[in-house]
Amino acid sequence: MNEKVSLVYFSGTGNTRLVAYAAAEEFKSHGVSCSLKELSTRTLLDDVPEGEMLGIAFPVYGLGLPGIMRRFLAGLKKTENGNCFILANAHSNAGLSISQAEKLLCRKGYSVKGAVSTFTPSSSIITEDTEPDDRAEEMRTGAVGKVKGFIDDLIYNKASKESAGVNFRERTVSVLFRLAMPGPVVKSACTTEKCSGCGVCAAGCPVNNIEMTGEKPSWGKSCEVCMRCINLCPNNAVEMMSSAGRNQYKGGLI
């Protein structure tokens, strides 16, 4: 395989970052150079150098590809013989995300040499509770082990491409998520009396969608629904949809 890899990842609360770093470590343990590049509106990414393998890692939102990763792939420079691989990180179902990513990559001339889905704890506390600490750690450990095994196979040209079977309901969920979001999240976003005006949420937003107005955060329309702000808040003061009373997810970036 290629001697150098550029691994571009997007991560809201750190689960996908964990997977991406595990992949990079495994490459390096085999003597393969791997540069990690975090995708956000705060950073400008150069085109992948000719001859390097491209890797992408992303969380699965609404059984599909995050908007920021979709836009990155759509903006890639075309290549004639590019190789790539896909790491899709989900809570329980990668849905359409791998096939969506592969279609965009193929349009740019890339050949997908392998694709895998990993499963980590839910950080979507706007709709559900996250796992207990022991189960969360078990899931993270399993994800790291799975991605390292995948990278081993990729290096020796034995990697497979996972393709999840998606039924009509799941396909509908993916379409509705893309059409509806981030509207309901942004409209419901607010802070409680526990907000200290520290600005951690605004500083941490990967797409610069939060502004501090009168020492209180306000959300714009470019939200990726990544859950970073609600889980990052040091006072647990951010609320969205049905998040009130739920524990924050602290297993990733935080």
Side-chain angles (χ1 to χ4, degrees), residues 140-155:
R140 287 190 291 267
T141 300
V144 167
K146 186 174 183 180
V147 77
K148 286 190 172 185
F150 169 78
I151 297 302
D152 284 345
D153 288 344
L154 187 68
I155 289 171

Side-chain angles (χ1 to χ4, degrees), residues 184-202:
V185 172
V186 171
K187 288 179 181 178
S188 66
C190 63
T191 55
T192 68
E193 69 282 355
K194 293 185 290 185
C195 177
S196 65
C198 67
V200 167
C201 54

Side-chain angles (χ1 to χ4, degrees), residues 125-170:
I125 62 171
I126 63 172
T127 57
E128 61 186 351
D129 293 324
T130 191
E131 280 73 15
D133 290 346
D134 55 348
R135 173 57 181 156
E137 185 58 32
E138 181 183 349
M139 293 182 74
R140 287 190 291 267
T141 300
V144 167
K146 186 174 183 180
V147 77
K148 286 190 172 185
F150 169 78
I151 297 302
D152 284 345
D153 288 344
L154 187 68
I155 289 171
Y156 295 107
N157 298 314
K158 297 188 297 182
S160 60
K161 287 192 290 184
E162 288 187 10
S163 56
V166 182
N167 59 36
F168 176 77
R169 176 183 173 279
E170 291 169 337

